[in-house]
Structure formats: C-alpha cells, structure tokens
Amino acid sequence: QPLAVSAGGRPKLEDGEVEIRMETGLSFYNRDKKLYADGLVTVTTHRILLQYTEVKWYLELRLIENVTEKSKMFSSPRIVLHLSGGTPGAGDRYVMLSFPKGSKDLFLKALKTALAEKSWLHKGNKMGAGSGETLGQAAQPRFNAGIGTILEMQAAQQRATGEVMGEALSDLDSLMTHAKNMILIAEKMKAMLSSASSDSSSASQSVKKSEKEEYANLLMQTGILSPVSVQVVGNELFHSELAGQLADFLEPLLRDGRKMITLTDVYCLYNRARGIDMISPADLRKACELFEPKGIKLRLHQFRSGVVVIKRKDDGVQNENDAVVQMLKESGRGVNAAQAAKELGMSVAAARELLKEEERRGTICRDDSIEGLNFYFNVFSGFKEE
C-alpha cells in the first residue's frame, strides 16, 4: 500500500509503531524479478517501509509467514520474505530484499525481533492492556479479607511490578516494546491538539487556550515517539533523517503565529523531547543545513550579532522588519524586546535582533533609562533635508 510521508519527508507512523532499523541501498524483488534498486528500507514494529525514487509503499509484518536467507556466488546477500495468501498450484509467494552494502545481519535481526514480538496485535488497545491489567487486577481490593490477605495482595503486586520493571530494563529492545503505552498517550494528546487547531466548530472553540498549552507541555514532556538515532538509521543517513524529524517537530511550533525560533531554543526543546538520547549542537546545525537541499520549507538565518534562527523558507527577513516598524508606528508607544516578542510571535532573542537591525537602519530609536531599554518609532526618519 502507498506510504504516507510528512512534510519533512519522514514516513508517518501508525499508533504505537516504532522504527527499529533503517538501511539504504537495498534492491527489491518480486519473486526473482528485480523491480527497484537503491532504496531506503525501514523495519518498524508493525511494517516494512520501502522508499524508492519511483514509489513509496509498505508491507505489513502480519503478512509475512517466514523469513529465510539466500546467497549466491558473486551476488549480494538477500532476505526472502515468504508471504501468506498464496494461490494453490502457483508456488510460494515471496518477495526479496538484496543488500549490496552487506548490512543484512542487523536488518535481519531487527526483522525477526519485530515478527516475534507481534506488536501489531496490540494495535488500538487502550491503556491498561497487557501488563497494566495484571498490575491493576492485583491491586483490586477483596472484600471480607483479613490483614494476612491484604499483605499477601501487596506482596503479589510488588512481585508483579518487579517482574515488569526487570523485563523492561533487561535490554534496549525490550524497553522499546514496553514504551508503547507512553507512545499511545502521546499520540492521543497530539490528535487532540490537532483537532482543536483545525476544527472551527463551536465545540472546538470551547477548548481554552490554557488547556491547549497544557496539552502541548504534556506532549513535550512525553517526548518524541521514535527519535532518529545512529543505532537505527546508521551514520550515513543520520543527519538527513534528523533534518526530516526536526522539520516535523518544528512544524507545530511555527504554525500558530510564531515567525522564527532561535537555534538555541530548538536545541533545548528537541533534546528535552528526545529524553536521554540527546544530540550534539554540531549534529543539530548540520541537520538544519540540510533543510534546503532536502526541499524542506525551513531555513537558517544568521543575524549580524551571530544569533541563528530557524524560520519558514517563504518568510523573508524584510517582512519581519516591516512588521516591527509597523507595530511601533501604530502603537505610538515604546516596547522592549519581551513585549515585541509577544506581539510578533517569536523568542525574546530573535525580537531583540530585529529591533537592533531596524535601529541601525534608522527607522526606530531607543530609550535606555532606569526603566530599561525601550524602542520607539523614529518620527524623523521620513523627513528630508532641504
């Protein structure tokens, strides 16, 4: 089936779906016939995502009955995916993936792990399924029970909790699987925010701005559902995939009236969302520099002072400078950097740089007093010398 991708070029994941391994340069075969070459293939907990120049589509893991290896002399190693639903008398129904770069082993291990876990069977389950129900049932009180029974129940609950925690922390693969409940929470909050932003009905209007901000903060604290990492995508694809995920992460931040955001703020917000798997400032800068080559509608802009911001590609700096002048001209009063940031929808650092730029042009002037630094529209800028 066709694969949906985001504005950043990243595949859109389903509820509870997590990327496990990504490889590039793979060829795709329908039986023994080669159809596509040099593609990007990703194994997730639910699907195999195939991205080629000609087509982007996916194969659900539930359709795979068995996985075998195939190798020939003087040819690349291959993985054979035996599919269900074959026609009697027509032979085995299968597709193949070849690995010219010899990265088959890690990909095969991730695929077999996903097939063994069968995470797609839990798709759509509500919170409390699986281990959560076990803990909940253990905690339910029994009526007409003595102190001994209560102590026994508490001990059973502690044992169940210890087993779950021990299994979850045994290795990273198991920890990723046990994170699905948190993923479902984040997806639910993201859907609520999207619905509240796009729906103009009276029901949607009843959602207060403070409530939307609270949901946004909760979503930020929950983290990114499937953060791009070197372990998943490899060194070769890391910065390219990171650029795509950054674009998706910044899209809601730059949607509601905000014009730009400083690179420092992006570093803090994005790493906070990633949790412990943080990226370096150099990786962030290198990924942002790939926005324009990848066709993403974001770009970097550096002010004279050295402050770097990220903004939409179709928003010119002059538009924001004109907005600063127009704001001061219409208000007839002075504003500081914090007030300008609130009016213009940007960070204080970005607003301060815009004010300084306009001051150098002579369209606005400053008043530096004990009350702080304020900027005013320069009423003398339109006069001409005679």
Side-chain angles (χ1 to χ4, degrees), residues 91-105:
D92 190 13
R93 183 183 175 212
Y94 65 90
V95 296
M96 291 192 299
L97 296 171
S98 69
F99 297 76
K101 298 183 179 180
S103 52
K104 172 182 65 68
D105 293 338

Side-chain angles (χ1 to χ4, degrees), residues 21-22 229-239:
R21 184 70 190 177
M22 180 183 297
S229 64
V230 176
Q231 291 76 15
V232 173
V233 304
N235 290 313
E236 184 178 352
L237 297 172
F238 177 64
H239 291 103

Side-chain angles (χ1 to χ4, degrees), residues 10-234:
R10 297 267 302 158
K12 293 184 177 180
L13 302 181
E14 297 179 348
D15 293 344
E17 186 177 18
V18 176
E19 293 173 322
I20 304 176
R21 184 70 190 177
M22 180 183 297
E23 294 290 348
T24 185
L26 274 65
S27 299
F28 178 81
Y29 292 77
N30 184 12
R31 298 181 68 88
D32 295 322
K33 182 180 180 181
K34 186 176 181 179
L35 298 182
Y36 309 109
D38 196 23
L40 180 64
V41 182
T42 307
V43 176
T44 73
T45 52
H46 294 55
R47 302 175 293 173
I48 296 179
L49 313 179
L50 302 109
Q51 301 179 72
Y52 292 90
T53 304
E54 302 88 347
V55 66
K56 292 179 175 61
W57 59 291
Y58 66 87
L59 176 65
E60 295 183 7
L61 295 185
R62 64 180 180 85
L63 301 177
I64 300 176
E65 288 187 341
N66 189 24
V67 179
T68 59
E69 300 180 55
K70 184 177 181 180
S71 60
K72 291 183 180 180
M73 189 175 294
F74 306 115
S75 64
S76 303
R78 301 178 183 181
I79 291 177
V80 184
L81 308 177
H82 302 272
L83 307 178
S84 60
T87 305
D92 190 13
R93 183 183 175 212
Y94 65 90
V95 296
M96 291 192 299
L97 296 171
S98 69
F99 297 76
K101 298 183 179 180
S103 52
K104 172 182 65 68
D105 293 338
L106 293 176
F107 187 92
L108 182 60
K109 179 182 177 182
L111 178 58
K112 288 184 175 180
T113 300
L115 289 172
E117 292 291 343
K118 298 184 184 296
S119 299
W120 61 87
L121 296 178
H122 307 293
K123 181 180 175 181
N125 285 1
K126 297 181 179 179
M127 286 294 298
S131 60
E133 288 182 351
T134 303
L135 295 178
Q137 291 170 358
Q140 290 178 359
R142 300 176 185 176
F143 296 100
N144 300 323
I147 295 177
T149 304
I150 295 175
L151 293 176
E152 181 182 352
M153 288 169 54
Q154 291 179 346
Q157 182 179 357
Q158 291 176 356
R159 286 194 298 271
T161 304
E163 290 175 0
V164 172
M165 292 296 295
E167 182 181 357
L169 296 174
S170 61
D171 56 76
L172 291 177
D173 293 334
S174 179
L175 182 60
M176 185 73 73
T177 302
H178 284 74
K180 64 185 179 182
N181 283 343
M182 295 301 296
I183 292 174
L184 293 176
I185 293 176
E187 286 286 3
K188 182 178 179 181
M189 288 191 292
K190 185 176 181 180
M192 294 176 66
L193 281 174
S194 177
S195 175
S197 299
S198 60
D199 189 2
S200 59
S201 63
S202 58
S204 175
Q205 294 299 325
S206 63
V207 180
K208 296 180 180 179
K209 183 178 180 181
S210 59
E211 294 174 345
K212 289 177 63 179
E213 291 177 352
E214 182 179 356
Y215 279 125
N217 290 333
L218 286 173
L219 182 58
M220 186 70 69
Q221 292 173 10
T222 303
I224 295 175
L225 309 185
S226 185
V228 172
S229 64
V230 176
Q231 291 76 15
V232 173
V233 304

Side-chain angles (χ1 to χ4, degrees), residues 243 246-247 249-251 253-254 258-267 270 284-285 287-289 291 296-303 307-313 315 320 345-347 350:
L246 277 168
F249 178 77
L250 293 173
E251 193 270 336
L253 297 178
L254 295 174
R258 179 177 288 191
K259 300 292 184 181
M260 60 179 70
I261 182 170
T262 63
L263 200 59
T264 306
D265 290 340
V266 173
Y267 177 78
Y270 182 68
L284 176 64
R285 181 64 182 261
C288 292
E289 290 173 349
F291 284 158
I296 297 172
K297 296 182 178 180
L298 295 174
R299 65 184 179 91
L300 289 175
H301 174 74
Q302 184 168 346
F303 289 100
V307 174
V308 181
V309 297
I310 297 177
K311 56 185 301 178
R312 294 187 182 277
K313 191 175 182 180
D315 290 341
E320 279 123 19
M346 61 183 67
S347 67

